[in-house]
């Protein structure tokens, strides 16, 4: 079972989400919260697999709550941001804070269910309308921070794979672009996440833009 907590300051939204999720045999809603502070407390106490986190909430917003949960080594919950505000700045800040995904509240129910399952499995997801464009846009306006011990430690092939990830390619598309097997891509992605200290693909892509790698020419391979 995938254990889910819902954090939203609107009772109707929490009730609606609960009804949608309870129709799924593999999802159990274990708790809810009315603000960011409660969301942090609930996640630490109940340890859900996924927290559905609204952004604009009283006492503590969803971005700050996400940052606290991600920084807490004792909490393994992953965060899926849900909001009615299709605002690039909010999206970037939420992802930079450590959220594993982002969906708008007007997304179809099946997209929400899929997103929860993907994130619970350890992957990351973005709303179809949220592309690398916003990550690139906001990364360009923030100081680059090359990290020679992480991005600099990648092999040429790993740098190519990371640049493909920054371009929004999935594993199958990367395999096709680089003419390598799917299993090889998975191995490269796992090593990239480990080397750059990223929890998932979204964090790795943000690192690629912050370090400037996403803007570099593709490295030549031997």
């Amino acid at each position: 079972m995938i254990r889910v907590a819902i954090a939203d300051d609107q009772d109707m939204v929490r009730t609606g989400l609960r009804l949608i999720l309870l129709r799924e045999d593999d999802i159990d809603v274990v708790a809810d919260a009315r603000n960011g502070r409660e969301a942090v407390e609930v996640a630490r106490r109940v340890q859900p697999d996924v927290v559905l986190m609204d952004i604009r909430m009283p006492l503590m917003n969803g971005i700050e709550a996400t940052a606290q949960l991600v920084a807490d080594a004792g909490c393994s919950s992953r965060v899926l941001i849900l909001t009615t505000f299709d605002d690039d700045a909010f999206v970037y800040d939420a992802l930079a804070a450590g959220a594993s995904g982002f969906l708008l509240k007007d997304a179809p129910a099946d997209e929400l269910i899929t997103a929860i399952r993907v994130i619970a499995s350890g992957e990351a997801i973005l709303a179809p309308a949220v592309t690398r464009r916003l990550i690139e846009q906001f990364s360009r306006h923030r100081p680059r921070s090359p990290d020679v011990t992480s991005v600099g430690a990648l092999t040429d092939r790993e740098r190519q794979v990371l640049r493909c990830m920054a371009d929004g390619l999935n594993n199958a598309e990367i395999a096709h672009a680089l003419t390598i097997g799917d299993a090889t891509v998975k191995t490269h992605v796992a090593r990239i996440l480990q080397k750059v200290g990223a929890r998932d693909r979204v964090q790795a892509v943000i690192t690629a833009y912050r370090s400037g790698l996403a803007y570099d020419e593709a490295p030549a391979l031997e």
Side-chain angles (χ1 to χ4, degrees):
M1 293 291 290
I2 301 173
R3 304 170 73 251
V4 175
I6 301 171
D8 196 290
D9 60 335
Q10 298 183 38
D11 292 342
M12 188 176 297
V13 172
R14 294 198 308 276
T15 299
L17 290 173
R18 180 181 289 270
L19 291 175
I20 290 173
L21 299 183
L22 290 180
R23 295 182 304 190
E24 304 301 317
D25 295 336
D26 61 337
I27 296 177
D28 184 21
V29 179
V30 296
D32 60 20
R34 295 167 295 180
N35 56 65
R37 185 177 299 169
E38 282 188 6
V40 173
E41 294 172 351
V42 164
R44 287 171 172 166
R45 183 177 71 253
V46 182
Q47 296 287 325
D49 299 304
V50 178
V51 178
L52 301 185
M53 186 82 75
D54 187 24
I55 287 183
R56 294 193 176 183
M57 293 186 291
L59 300 183
M60 180 187 296
N61 64 44
I63 296 173
E64 185 178 351
T66 297
Q68 287 198 17
L69 289 179
V70 172
D72 188 344
C75 183
S76 60
S77 300
R78 300 169 67 84
V79 177
L80 172 61
I81 295 291
L82 290 179
T83 183
T84 57
F85 300 94
D86 186 7
D87 188 307
D88 285 352
F90 282 140
V91 177
Y92 182 88
D93 288 341
L95 297 177
S100 294
F102 180 99
L103 283 178
L104 299 178
K105 287 181 179 177
D106 61 1
D110 60 341
E111 284 189 18
L112 172 63
I113 300 301
T114 297
I116 289 174
R117 289 171 177 156
V118 168
I119 288 177
S121 71
E123 295 295 327
I125 195 165
L126 294 175
V130 181
T131 65
R132 68 187 183 90
R133 170 187 58 80
L134 70 93
I135 298 177
E136 178 177 5
Q137 175 184 350
F138 284 91
S139 293
R140 281 187 182 276
H141 291 87
R142 301 188 182 201
R144 294 189 183 184
S145 53
D147 187 343
V148 296
T149 64
S150 58
V151 173
L154 299 179
T155 66
D156 281 350
R157 178 63 91 182
E158 288 166 350
R159 290 168 68 87
Q160 281 196 326
V161 171
L162 181 53
R163 289 186 72 256
C164 287
M165 292 164 60
D167 284 338
L169 276 61
N170 60 33
N171 284 2
E173 292 167 335
I174 294 174
H176 177 75
L178 300 181
T179 319
I180 56 179
D182 288 355
T184 301
V185 174
K186 291 180 181 179
T187 298
H188 284 313
V189 170
R191 288 175 178 169
I192 289 168
L193 298 185
Q194 181 181 28
K195 287 183 178 181
V196 304
R199 291 181 47 155
D200 50 44
R201 296 173 77 99
V202 171
Q203 303 304 309
V205 169
I206 290 176
T207 298
Y209 276 103
R210 283 181 166 173
S211 68
L213 174 64
Y215 307 111
D216 296 338
E217 294 295 327
L221 296 177
E222 297 181 358

